Amino acid sequence: MHIPDGYISPATALAYWGGILPFWYIASQRLRRLLVGRTVPALALFSAFVFVVMMFNVPVPGGTTAHAVGSVLAAIVLGPWAAIVATSVALIVQALFFGDGGILAIGANCFILGVAMPLAGYGIYRLIAGSSPLESRRRVIAAAVAGYFGINVAALLVGLTLGVQPLLWSENGRALYSPYGLEVAVPAMLIPHLTVAGLAEGIVTAAGLTLVHRFYPEVLGSVPSQVPTAARQRSLILLITAVLVLLTPLGLVASGAAWGEWSAEELEQLVGYVPSGLARWEGWWRAPLPDYSLPWMPESASFSEQALAYVLSAIIGIGLVSALIFGLRLLLQPRSPEDRSAASAR
């Protein structure tokens, strides 16, 4: 689902940057008051969750892989504007430090996975959930449907984005960027997500909402009869985070690359040539921990070595996204009493 550098033209990338920047600005303004309160730890937690859950690759039809995202769950629990921030931070860290998604394509990936997906899913959730009680089964079902719908909206947008590239940018009968047209790209993205990845996203969203309501109800504005103590909440969060981190090597079990994320060599084997745009832009950014590996790890590393690198990458990624969220708190918090009063009024 992450678009790499070289698969979309600079013009397409620029258009997406133009689309994402207003959402980032509005989200930062909406969160200015919340980022000085108790929302910060929750926002950091969900950003870390989005980062980790995207490491769990699952095999899908066609011999490729896909993964859940978690941005719809973030939108349901924290609100759509907070989800935009949480998901964008996770995607930026993935691109900069792990080479998962392109640097030039950050705008596209953040718009598709961090804006379109959570907003679409949140809209469906609100439509289905209605005014039902927070603890009702209807809310859980709404969350599952919302997750399924949201990730398929994102898959459709990725398919359309990649599919229009050869129509707009070709030379001498060869595509300059992504070589597959709409007739291939859209089904290739939608079929795996309609069948497997969408179900995974629905399960993650419904299960996540259930856990949040059970152990962290105040985030949802709910106070059940038995509220876990703050110490127990922290312990449970740490336990769940540790379990997810230790399970991340399961993402290595699924073989094959995600569709539309092949290297130049792999793409040459598929279509017989390397698009010139891909040859130009692929690899211009050297991520410190590419593909969640360690710099000194050989290509012939054993599964246990790869698993260790995956776990360490998850820990580093969680630390980085948390640091960025708390950095945003320092950047956006009101500086003067007048600013604080204005923020409180919003």
Side-chain angles (χ1 to χ4, degrees):
M1 187 80 77
H2 296 71
I3 298 175
D5 281 333
Y7 272 79
I8 59 175
S9 69
T12 305
L14 185 61
Y16 269 117
W17 276 105
I20 190 63
L21 288 176
F23 283 96
W24 282 346
Y25 175 77
I26 296 172
S28 68
Q29 297 304 305
R30 293 290 184 93
L31 293 178
R32 183 179 292 274
R33 177 173 58 87
L34 297 177
L35 283 173
V36 301
R38 298 175 62 187
T39 302
V40 178
L43 190 63
L45 172 65
F46 272 91
S47 187
F49 172 77
V50 169
F51 176 89
V52 171
V53 81
M54 284 193 281
M55 296 178 68
F56 286 89
N57 296 312
V58 295
V60 295
T64 58
T65 60
H67 56 75
V69 177
S71 62
V72 174
L73 175 62
I76 292 171
V77 175
L78 300 178
W81 295 107
I84 290 173
V85 173
T87 308
S88 295
V89 167
L91 289 167
I92 290 170
V93 167
Q94 286 180 324
L96 288 175
F97 294 93
F98 302 95
D100 197 358
I103 302 300
L104 298 176
I106 283 177
N109 289 322
C110 287
F111 185 89
I112 292 172
L113 298 177
V115 174
M117 179 176 172
L119 290 184
Y122 183 75
I124 291 296
Y125 172 77
R126 295 302 309 164
L127 180 65
I128 298 175
S131 57
S132 59
L134 291 173
E135 66 277 6
S136 68
R137 183 177 299 179
R138 180 175 173 178
R139 295 258 175 178
V140 177
I141 295 173
V145 176
Y148 180 87
F149 181 80
I151 199 171
N152 277 287
V153 168
L156 175 60
L157 287 176
V158 172
L160 291 172
T161 301
L162 297 179
V164 299
Q165 298 306 304
L167 297 177
L168 300 176
W169 314 98
S170 295
E171 189 175 81
N172 299 324
R174 290 188 172 187
L176 300 181
Y177 303 99
S178 177
Y180 293 107
L182 291 169
E183 72 283 357
V184 174
V186 172
M189 288 303 302
L190 276 181
I191 292 174
H193 288 84
L194 287 169
T195 54
V196 178
L199 296 177
E201 187 73 35
I203 292 171
V204 165
T205 308
L209 181 62
T210 301
L211 287 173
V212 170
H213 186 269
R214 176 66 180 85
F215 297 115
Y216 207 14
E218 58 269 30
V219 175
L220 296 170
S222 172
V223 184
S225 57
Q226 294 182 340
V227 180
T229 64
R232 187 185 177 197
Q233 285 178 337
R234 288 193 293 269
S235 299
L236 288 168
I237 289 171
L238 290 174
L239 177 61
I240 293 172
T241 302
V243 170
L244 287 175
V245 168
L246 292 175
L247 290 177
T248 52
L250 292 175
L252 295 168
V253 175
S255 60
W259 197 94
E261 297 183 31
W262 306 286
S263 65
E265 292 76 13
E266 291 172 323
L267 194 57
E268 185 175 17
Q269 294 177 359
L270 291 171
V271 299
Y273 67 95
V274 178
S276 60
L278 177 61
R280 178 182 181 183
W281 294 110
E282 184 194 43
W284 75 275
W285 175 261
R286 300 294 181 183
L289 302 173
D291 298 323
Y292 308 101
S293 65
L294 302 177
W296 58 84
M297 195 170 68
E299 293 184 4
S300 58
S302 64
F303 180 82
S304 60
E305 291 173 321
Q306 296 179 45
L308 176 60
Y310 228 60
V311 170
L312 291 176
S313 295
I315 295 172
I316 293 171
I318 288 173
L320 289 170
V321 297
S322 299
L324 280 176
I325 292 296
F326 281 91
L328 283 174
R329 174 186 182 178
L330 296 176
L331 180 66
L332 296 176
Q333 66 182 356
R335 300 294 180 182
S336 65
E338 292 78 10
D339 292 337
R340 286 192 288 271
S341 298
S344 299
R346 284 194 295 267

